[in-house]
Amino acid sequence: MNQNYLLGKRHNILGWTTFFLVCISLYMIFIVTPTDVRLGIVQKIFYFHVASAWNAFFAFFIVFLTSIMYLVKRDRKYDVIAVASAEIGVIFTTIVLTTGPIWGRSSWNAWWVWEPRLTTTLILWFIYIAYIMIRMSDMEWEKKSRLSAVFGIIGFIDVPIVFMAIRWWNTKLHPVVFGEGTDQTGGGLDTIMLYTLILSVFTFTALYFYLLQKGIAIGNMRNKVDEIKDNFKNAI
Amino acid sequence: MINALKAVIWKDIIMEYKTKQMTSSMLVFSGLVIVIFGFAFELSIEVLHKVLPGMIWVAMIFSSILGLNRSFMLEKNNDCMQGMLLLPCDRTIIFLGKFCANFLFVLLTQIIIVPGFFVFFDYRFQGGLGLLVLILLVGTIGFIAIGTFLAALASNSRMSDMLLPIILFPITVPLIIAGVQSTSLIFQGQGFDAISQWFYLMLVFDVIFLVIPYMLFDYVMEV
């Protein structure tokens, strides 16, 4: 009987590390880094935006990997990881999609632009919402795990094609308005800003793993409860 | 293997011929799309020029969802799926057979509906007809390939008719963009050079989403 629905000492250590990392990042973001000359205080959202975007992609990549592993190995633990990761990924994508327009409103003067990166993120969000819909449908767990693993693979493969299509569509419609740099502010980043960005990405990754551990524990607990319920039913 | 494929396709065609469920509902639905678009927009010739390509694709996509939903739900009656799984051959044959049959039915609807768009909106089509047919064919193949696969996936759930559009539409976004863009270029009278980029994108999509379902169909159909 596996006991991994209990969170161990390692989880606590990771939790505290994340906590301190978050504190340092917040200090770096709001106190140490200078305010952007052109964009002002709104630019601070950038650190959260980029970090969550990176994490969302990372989370979906984990879904892709664990989906393949599940189909090959048929071990339920991969399925639990995939679900937890997909849920966290959707949350991070939601953060990206809410911070994006706030930032965009002040820097581009538009809430939303049908630009490749934005639109791809939106489609990504829909794909993984669909993934969670499959998880929530009424099937036995074996079927559900299998089918959502299949969808997890297809969804991830689709993302680059979506990006290409939107990119071409976009350039056909109107010229590229924004800089091609990673931050889209057009110019380079200040060194301290870059360090803060790297730190915040790292912090969010730690947060991802912390949440993932929690998610896995909850998933295992859920499975355990189902198992007990089944035993109980059979006993009666 | 070829015989098994033929048998699966033939079974679907016979069933469709006897009941006429899928094609008739798809046809009526597409016709209603024409009517609703007619009322929803003030369509002058210039506007029509811009929105007609999109309308054709919307009609195709929404009507084929109806057909795709039916195609595997049908097999639920009397446990027909069980019988199909007992076919003494590779299970991907079921996918290929269903794909061919669905493609045929959607094609049939399109042959009637696309000219219908031109007639009802009194639109004089001046682009290359061959190109339009080519793009619609390639687009439909891709859409039906991934659609058939995801319909098989969704059919395991009791709320499959709700699930299918939600899981299918985000995946087919590239195809829809490419289809609408190239169709509107054709409507502007452009040649193959102008649409080649979109055409190749659709081709890549078709290949990927014929090969991947082919590889993964066994997992979907496991009992």
Side-chain angles (χ1 to χ4, degrees):
Chain A
M1 187 68 56
N2 64 342
Q3 294 285 308
N4 51 3
Y5 49 87
L6 294 173
L7 290 161
K9 209 175 182 181
R10 296 225 312 270
H11 181 70
N12 279 333
I13 297 171
L14 183 62
W16 283 108
T17 321
T18 315
F19 177 73
F20 284 119
L21 275 171
V22 169
C23 291
I24 299 167
S25 300
L26 285 176
Y27 180 74
M28 287 289 281
I29 290 170
F30 287 105
I31 316 263
V32 177
T33 355
T35 312
D36 192 90
V37 189
R38 282 183 302 139
L39 297 172
I41 194 78
V42 193
Q43 191 260 343
K44 303 280 187 207
I45 216 169
F46 163 68
Y47 304 108
F48 300 94
H49 183 74
V50 175
S52 355
W54 144 254
N55 255 298
F57 282 107
F58 182 65
F60 295 145
F61 180 63
I62 296 289
V63 176
F64 175 64
L65 281 187
T66 43
S67 296
I68 294 176
M69 290 299 282
Y70 178 78
L71 287 186
V72 177
K73 292 257 169 74
R74 295 306 167 99
D75 188 336
R76 202 172 177 180
K77 91 179 169 213
Y78 295 114
D79 180 54
V80 172
I81 300 175
V83 185
S85 191
E87 282 171 354
I88 301 166
V90 168
I91 290 173
F92 278 119
T93 319
T94 314
I95 295 175
V96 174
L97 288 174
T98 38
T99 52
I102 299 172
W103 188 30
R105 182 77 175 89
S106 57
S107 69
W108 307 332
N109 205 21
W111 290 112
W112 184 265
V113 187
W114 289 93
E115 187 261 356
R117 250 157 296 185
L118 276 72
T119 318
T120 310
T121 314
L122 185 65
I123 303 297
L124 196 68
W125 190 73
F126 276 120
I127 289 178
Y128 284 90
I129 290 282
Y131 179 90
I132 290 177
M133 292 287 285
I134 296 178
R135 300 297 320 190
M136 279 163 50
S137 57
D138 50 327
M139 293 182 257
E140 311 88 83
W141 75 267
E142 268 164 330
K143 221 180 218 173
K144 208 152 54 179
S145 320
R146 212 173 59 222
L147 297 181
S148 51
V150 167
F151 190 76
I153 295 171
I154 286 200
F156 193 77
I157 291 171
D158 196 43
V159 173
I161 312 175
V162 173
F163 183 76
M164 282 313 288
I166 297 169
R167 189 177 202 137
W168 289 347
W169 168 68
N170 190 257
T171 46
K172 281 278 152 76
L173 276 185
H174 34 76
V176 179
V177 187
F178 312 109
E180 282 294 314
T182 45
D183 61 327
Q184 294 214 337
T185 45
L189 275 176
D190 196 44
T191 330
I192 186 78
M193 283 183 174
L194 187 66
Y195 286 143
T196 313
L197 178 64
I198 291 168
L199 180 68
S200 60
V201 167
F202 190 70
T203 308
F204 266 70
T205 315
L207 182 64
Y208 164 77
F209 280 110
Y210 180 72
L211 290 175
L212 186 67
Q213 275 194 342
K214 278 238 189 292
I216 292 169
I218 291 172
N220 286 333
M221 257 187 259
R222 200 180 285 143
N223 294 346
K224 181 80 190 161
V225 170
D226 285 346
E227 204 178 291
I228 293 170
K229 267 188 201 160
D230 279 350
N231 288 342
F232 191 61
K233 250 183 236 161
N234 292 341
I236 296 173
Chain B
M1 190 178 139
I2 296 293
N3 281 335
L5 185 63
K6 265 192 209 153
V8 174
I9 301 174
W10 190 239
K11 173 197 83 67
D12 270 18
I13 292 177
I14 291 273
M15 205 147 71
E16 186 54 35
Y17 180 71
K18 302 267 177 187
T19 61
K20 299 183 189 65
Q21 264 180 343
M22 262 163 85
T23 33
S24 63
S25 61
M26 283 198 284
L27 264 175
V28 173
F29 184 84
S30 314
L32 286 170
V33 168
I34 296 183
V35 172
I36 287 168
F37 274 138
F39 289 132
F41 303 117
E42 288 292 324
L43 292 167
S44 60
I45 282 296
E46 301 88 75
V47 178
L48 205 56
H49 208 68
K50 291 213 177 85
V51 297
L52 199 56
M55 276 161 36
I56 290 175
W57 281 90
V58 167
M60 188 279 266
I61 285 160
F62 282 93
S63 63
S64 33
I65 281 276
L66 291 181
L68 289 171
N69 251 330
R70 285 298 301 162
S71 107
F72 279 90
M73 288 315 278
L74 222 63
E75 309 292 346
K76 292 251 145 171
N77 297 342
N78 305 329
D79 269 336
C80 292
M81 204 66 229
Q82 217 64 26
M84 285 194 88
L85 290 176
L86 290 176
L87 270 180
C89 64
D90 207 10
R91 273 179 191 163
T92 42
I93 292 297
I94 300 174
F95 168 70
L96 285 180
K98 280 277 177 194
F99 160 71
C100 293
N102 286 338
F103 178 65
L104 215 66
F105 301 146
V106 172
L107 206 64
L108 212 67
T109 346
Q110 277 191 328
I111 290 173
I112 300 169
I113 277 306
V114 175
F117 268 97
F118 294 147
V119 171
F120 279 102
F121 292 116
D122 193 24
Y123 183 80
R124 307 281 146 86
F125 180 68
Q126 276 153 345
L129 195 63
L131 277 183
L132 183 68
V133 171
L134 181 73
I135 284 293
L136 283 176
L137 269 180
V138 175
T140 313
I141 288 176
F143 190 80
I144 300 300
I146 186 69
T148 306
F149 180 67
L150 289 182
L153 196 156
S155 71
N156 285 293
S157 162
R158 248 169 295 171
M159 50 173 213
S160 88
D161 30 1
M162 273 191 288
L163 199 59
L164 182 62
I166 293 175
I167 62 177
L168 180 57
F169 287 158
I171 299 284
T172 50
V173 161
L175 201 70
I176 297 166
I177 295 175
V180 173
Q181 289 300 310
S182 47
T183 312
S184 87
L185 285 173
I186 293 169
F187 272 42
Q188 288 162 23
Q190 306 263 18
F192 182 76
D193 284 346
I195 63 159
S196 62
Q197 195 184 16
W198 295 118
F199 176 73
Y200 294 132
L201 181 78
M202 286 165 105
L203 222 54
V204 168
F205 189 95
D206 286 10
V207 171
I208 290 178
F209 284 110
L210 270 172
V211 171
I212 290 175
Y214 191 85
M215 282 158 61
L216 293 178
F217 197 71
D218 267 350
Y219 293 111
V220 171
M221 279 296 129
E222 249 169 53
V223 188

